[in-house]
Amino acid sequence: MNTRARTRRHWLAALLAVATALAISDSAAGDGRSVANAFGDTQVPAAAQRVVTLYQGATDSAVALGITPVGVVDSWLEKPMYRYLRDALSGVEHIGLETQPNLEKIAWLDPDLIVATRFRHERVRPLLEKIAPTVATDSVFDFKASLELMAEATGREPRARALLEDWDKRVTDFRRQIAEALGDAWPQKAAVVRFKSDHVRIYSTGFAGSILNELGFEQPTSVQDQGWGMKLTSEENIPVMNADVIFVLLEPDDPAIAENYRHWRSHPLWQRLDAVQRGRVYEVDPVDWIMGGGILAANAMLDDLYAHYGLEPSPGDTLANPATPTSAQTNPARACTGNSDAVDLSPTEAPAAC
């Protein structure tokens, strides 16, 4: 612990020295425009070229807008980067964790724009702002806010509007199709459940929850007014998960989680759940459902829902023809090489529940 503290002091000292040299002058800042965000009103360049993204939703949004960042944080799963973004981000510099980005490395990348989130980065905001103009969203899961902020800060508002218009069309189409398909059985109550090695979590808010709500699903009665959701530590709490449909999030290649899932599914109370009896328990990709956090992941989640309900997906005109990425890497060599209860979220949980 002492070694870690000393190391942190050393790189912070180095960062301050570099940040001082890279601080933006008042005259240069005056050439841009002001962007309102969670950090206040930030003066950004008229055409930012070297963008650093500090959370997953910002990285997803950048790719959707045709931006190749000069620096990105590591993904939560499928490290170092989610598979659906790897082609677009091939060769991009990684700058550490979303919860602890390497500020010295960011400084050496010499960005002209940093996209952060107040939820994660309020404490390091002064240091980030010494490196480059920094804009932030309030949360990590609001994909529309992330897309709109990224677009405004980089002058890509038309592209963002087109993406959101396509999303709205797909939402309208899904709501129409599922209402016709299910009739009086619609709307359904949907439970988003994540199995861990020693417990289960059921979510009521966050990325997946907000999208399900927009699509017309309802929350299970048990998790209403429960904040982010609940932690279930005993099989006796299985009835809390009762819903018309259950979406199960499983981390890949984790034997302990798979075993815990098998254990809970073998319990008699699991067999009594409405979703189990009706054959509506679906295993879904946690990257698309809670980790990706952006417009591309949201559309992948919606694709899952079309498939699980046997509906014909509406692709969306803009997403069918994604923007050609514009390189923001002018000079990549410049980088330095028994009960149900509320629970505090781990860093990897926040994309789903903040």
Side-chain angles (χ1 to χ4, degrees):
M1 189 70 179
N2 291 334
T3 300
R4 181 179 298 176
R6 286 196 299 272
T7 301
R8 187 174 299 172
R9 285 197 297 270
H10 286 322
W11 66 253
L12 281 175
L15 166 70
L16 287 172
V18 174
T20 300
L22 295 177
I24 298 173
S25 68
D26 292 338
S27 60
D31 294 336
R33 53 204 171 91
S34 181
V35 173
N37 63 96
F39 283 172
D41 293 328
T42 302
Q43 197 75 14
V44 302
Q49 296 296 316
R50 299 182 60 80
V51 180
V52 164
T53 57
L54 296 187
Y55 67 102
Q56 312 305 320
T59 303
D60 179 303
S61 298
V63 172
L65 290 170
I67 299 167
T68 303
V70 295
V72 297
V73 288
D74 293 346
S75 58
W76 295 116
L77 300 176
E78 301 177 349
K79 292 182 180 294
M81 181 49 58
Y82 300 129
R83 294 187 184 96
Y84 79 98
L85 296 176
R86 286 181 186 175
D87 287 346
L89 299 176
S90 177
V92 171
E93 197 75 25
H94 281 249
I95 51 175
L97 302 176
E98 186 171 310
T99 50
Q100 191 176 3
N102 186 324
L103 302 183
E104 185 177 6
K105 197 168 189 178
I106 295 172
W108 279 108
L109 281 169
D110 193 19
D112 52 18
L113 177 68
I114 298 171
V115 183
T117 170
R118 184 180 59 81
F119 174 78
R120 295 278 193 225
H121 307 115
E122 180 69 42
R123 289 189 304 170
V124 294
R125 172 186 174 184
L127 296 173
L128 292 173
E129 291 177 336
K130 285 183 178 296
I131 298 171
T134 302
V135 296
T137 56
D138 275 313
S139 73
V140 292
F141 71 80
D142 188 339
F143 72 93
K144 295 181 182 179
S146 294
L147 184 69
E148 290 169 341
L149 179 62
M150 179 72 71
E152 184 180 1
T154 60
R156 288 169 170 80
E157 293 94 336
R159 172 68 180 171
R161 284 194 296 270
L163 287 165
L164 291 174
E165 287 171 5
D166 282 347
W167 171 259
D168 290 341
K169 289 177 183 177
R170 299 195 76 200
V171 168
T172 299
D173 177 72
F174 180 86
R175 291 180 66 118
R176 176 187 60 79
Q177 287 199 49
I178 198 169
E180 291 175 356
L182 298 184
D184 293 340
W186 180 254
Q188 288 188 334
K189 292 184 177 180
V192 179
V193 175
R194 187 178 188 187
F195 278 83
K196 304 296 286 184
S197 61
D198 60 351
H199 67 274
V200 180
R201 295 182 180 184
I202 177 171
Y203 299 120
S204 59
T205 61
F207 185 71
S210 64
I211 291 173
L212 289 173
N213 180 67
E214 184 176 2
L215 294 171
F217 289 89
E218 296 178 348
Q219 293 182 4
T221 303
S222 60
V223 298
Q224 293 175 3
D225 302 320
Q226 291 292 323
W228 70 266
M230 305 173 75
K231 175 183 177 182
L232 310 179
T233 58
S234 168
E235 295 90 334
E236 295 177 358
N237 301 130
I238 286 176
V240 171
M241 291 187 281
N242 195 47
D244 298 310
V245 58
I246 297 175
F247 299 105
V248 177
L249 308 172
L250 296 173
E251 294 180 24
D253 304 321
D254 191 318
I257 290 177
E259 176 58 33
N260 193 37
Y261 182 37
R262 285 192 294 269
H263 177 71
W264 282 62
R265 284 189 305 169
S266 66
H267 197 282
L269 290 175
W270 177 270
Q271 303 303 321
R272 297 180 189 175
L273 295 175
D274 291 342
V276 175
Q277 294 184 351
R278 296 168 185 169
R280 284 191 169 144
V281 178
Y282 304 122
E283 297 176 13
V284 295
D285 187 343
V287 171
D288 295 338
W289 279 66
I290 63 172
M291 298 298 185
I295 183 73
L296 299 178
N299 275 279
M301 175 181 165
L302 184 50
D303 287 341
D304 277 354
L305 288 165
Y306 273 107
H308 288 311
Y309 282 93
L311 307 177
E312 185 65 28
S314 171
D317 296 337
T318 300
L319 285 169
N321 298 284
T324 301
T326 57
S327 177
Q329 295 176 269
T330 307
N331 185 6
R334 294 163 75 178
C336 61
T337 44
N339 293 312
S340 60
D341 56 273
V343 62
D344 291 336
L345 298 173
S346 67
T348 59
E349 215 68 34
C354 298

